Amino acid sequence: NISNTHTSTSTSTSISTSTSTSTSSSVIAGDIITCKQDIVFVLDSSGSIGSENFAIAQSFVSNLVERLNFGMNNVHAAAMLFDSAVTLLTSFDGNKGNVINVVLDYMYPEGHTAGTATGVALNYVVDSILQPSNGYRGNGALVYIITDGKSLDMVDVAASRLHAVEGVDVISIGVTSAVNQDELAIIATDPSFVFLVESFSNLTNSLVEEVLTVPCVTFTSTSTTTSTSTSSSISTSTSSSTSTSTSSSISTSTSSSTSSSTSTSTSTSTSTSASTSSSSSSSTSSSSSTSTSTSSSTSTSSSTSTSSSTSTSTSSSSTTTTTTGEIVMNGAFELPVVEDGGFSLMVMGWETSDNAGVFRPKISNIMYSEPVPEGNQLLFLRGGSAQQTSNLKANQGDTIFISFYVGHRLDSPFNTLFFTITTPTGTVLLSGSVVESQVARGTFKFFTFSDVVIEPIFVSSVIVRMWTSSAQIGQANVDDVLVHVEKDGSSPAPTTTTTT
């Protein structure tokens, strides 16, 4: 008997973990926002400049404005002219296009001979422009003054008054050799804030970039992406093999006479795990005996393999982009400030028709049974309209949203409110209306409307318009108008949502 047994076991375990984190930031060349977000442009329009040079100065201011990031919570700008008197072009406005238009649209008078009263101009900035009634937000300002000559009045007292306003920095830009450099230094709040150029032709884009970095500047078009990836792998393999072979041979020989003998040997092997072995032998001999031989062989092989693998991969990506979210200027209609119970037919940042404006409900009144949603003032529309052009950017597939409160006075019928958001060429991007049955008397109700831009266009600005029909008797009140865009069509289909 021959017996052979073999057992083999093998186990292998592997653990692998990999973590990768990358962060990238990029600054996109484009709009600039200064650290002081209220900016005043004071432009000399005296007779010594002339119409040709004045047009260059207008373009220079326009280029300054073009490089700034305007919006409700960003830059607002005011602009004025001065010679022997002052001319206000615009109070603080958060709409870039409006500011550029009022600066470029001014026509320099032919045969103009007025002198240069710089002190008068500086006092006007203090007493009028840097006031809440003209939209000043009180967080400091940058004042750019551009002049070509010596002032006819004293500037030191006026400059001291302007410097005393908290958070104000003054940048003086002198053009031609006729300017008084000592005067420019008195006007500026720091010697490094004085700029001198030989002629109006030197008011170039390079000077635009230079003066905009005074005294501080940050870029807002910034994209930051962070990506983290973790991979973990665990693998275990076990193999066991057992083989047993037994061979048994029994031989019996009987002899009785001379004879022929045949000997046969047979071997059989059975193996599991796809292994089979067989052997056969035969022999013949001449003998006086008979021999029988039997051989039996059994082989068993067992193999077991276990493999376990676990792999985990986690990827996290975060992208932050500073964009213009809410782009409606004076959407709460708090400017101009009117007295308790008073009203104004002029609304800062909005173009209004007759029968439209802002008003402040009296504290003790019967108009509403609940407070004004945002601030103290409301837009009223009684057959009139209000609109503004806003710097909203959108592409095909983006979703435009508008939201606002609508008020239904206790003491007045309700006039159906209509609104549209259109491109400057008239393409309607979003429109809707609110009717009397949707707003209970004496209350305000919040509405949100949205729609996807389906036109294959790029939108760089929109016109937001709200109005009521003159055919109806009554009025609608509006508060807290907000407009924004969600990119890439990630928003749902067009919806209208109302929430009290």
Side-chain angles (χ1 to χ4, degrees), residues 53-73:
N53 287 335
F54 183 76
I56 296 175
Q58 286 175 297
S59 296
F60 177 72
V61 173
S62 173
N63 290 337
L64 283 171
V65 173
E66 186 64 45
R67 293 290 283 115
L68 295 167
N69 185 11
F70 277 68
M72 172 67 78
N73 299 315

Side-chain angles (χ1 to χ4, degrees), residues 68-391:
L68 295 167
N69 185 11
F70 277 68
M72 172 67 78
N73 299 315
N74 293 321
V75 170
H76 292 186
M80 60 171 283
L81 308 176
F82 73 99
D83 40 38
S84 56
V86 297
T87 301
L88 177 65
L89 295 179
T90 179
S91 55
F92 285 104
D93 193 333
N95 187 297
K96 181 186 296 187
N98 290 348
V99 177
I100 290 175
N101 288 338
V102 297
V103 170
L104 294 180
D105 288 348
Y106 181 81
M107 299 296 294
Y108 185 84
E110 292 294 332
H112 192 47
T113 60
T116 306
T118 311
V120 171
L122 299 180
N123 280 320
Y124 184 80
V125 173
V126 176
D127 297 331
S128 181
I129 292 184
L130 297 180
Q131 299 296 326
S133 58
N134 272 317
Y136 180 53
R137 291 174 288 185
N139 297 318
L142 290 179
V143 180
Y144 290 93
I145 182 166
I146 305 169
T147 182
D148 78 329
K150 184 180 183 300
S151 179
L152 299 175
D153 59 355
M154 301 298 293
V155 301
D156 49 354
V157 175
S160 296
R161 291 187 66 219
L162 182 55
H163 295 178
V165 179
E166 185 177 0
V168 168
D169 283 306
V170 185
I171 294 90
S172 57
I173 303 171
V175 188
T176 78
S177 58
V179 297
N180 186 318
Q181 295 186 28
D182 293 336
E183 200 171 83
L184 294 177
I186 292 171
I187 295 171
T189 48
D190 188 273
S192 65
F193 297 171
V194 178
F195 294 85
L196 297 170
V197 294
E198 293 181 356
S199 67
F200 281 89
S201 62
N202 295 115
L203 295 176
T204 60
N205 286 336
S206 61
L207 183 62
V208 168
E209 299 298 325
E210 192 173 354
V211 300
L212 280 177
T213 59
V214 178
C216 57
V217 65
T218 57
F219 289 86
T220 55
S221 297
T222 302
S223 177
T224 302
T225 301
T226 302
S227 177
T228 302
S229 177
T230 302
S231 176
S232 176
S233 177
I234 302 174
S235 177
T236 302
S237 176
T238 303
S239 176
S240 175
S241 175
T242 303
S243 176
T244 303
S245 176
T246 304
S247 177
S248 173
S249 178
I250 302 173
S251 178
T252 304
S253 178
T254 305
S255 177
S256 59
S257 61
T258 302
S259 64
S260 69
S261 171
T262 302
S263 173
T264 303
S265 174
T266 304
S267 173
T268 304
S269 173
T270 303
S271 172
T272 63
S273 292
S275 173
T276 304
S277 172
S278 61
S279 109
S280 169
S281 78
S282 64
S283 67
T284 305
S285 66
S286 296
S287 174
S288 58
S289 66
T290 301
S291 172
T292 303
S293 174
T294 303
S295 174
S296 171
S297 174
T298 302
S299 174
T300 303
S301 175
S302 171
S303 176
T304 303
S305 176
T306 303
S307 177
S308 170
S309 176
T310 303
S311 176
T312 303
S313 176
T314 303
S315 178
S316 167
S317 177
S318 172
T319 301
T320 302
T321 304
T322 304
T323 59
T324 305
E326 179 273 301
I327 53 87
V328 177
M329 178 187 178
N330 193 23
F333 307 101
E334 295 302 298
L335 295 173
V337 178
V338 297
E339 63 184 7
D340 186 31
F343 70 95
S344 170
L345 295 178
M346 296 182 63
V347 185
M348 181 179 172
W350 295 79
E351 298 176 28
T352 54
S353 67
D354 293 339
N355 299 317
V358 296
F359 82 100
R360 180 182 292 244
K362 289 183 178 180
I363 297 176
S364 56
N365 65 79
I366 59 170
M367 294 181 183
Y368 286 99
S369 57
E370 58 189 33
V372 173
E374 181 72 23
N376 301 299
Q377 298 184 174
L378 300 168
L379 173 70
F380 71 84
L381 300 166
R382 51 172 184 258
S385 66
Q387 72 175 44
Q388 72 169 254
T389 302
S390 299
N391 295 325

Side-chain angles (χ1 to χ4, degrees), residues 457-468:
I457 57 175
F458 170 72
V459 181
S460 59
S461 63
V462 297
I463 298 173
V464 181
R465 182 170 183 260
M466 313 189 86
W467 76 95
T468 57

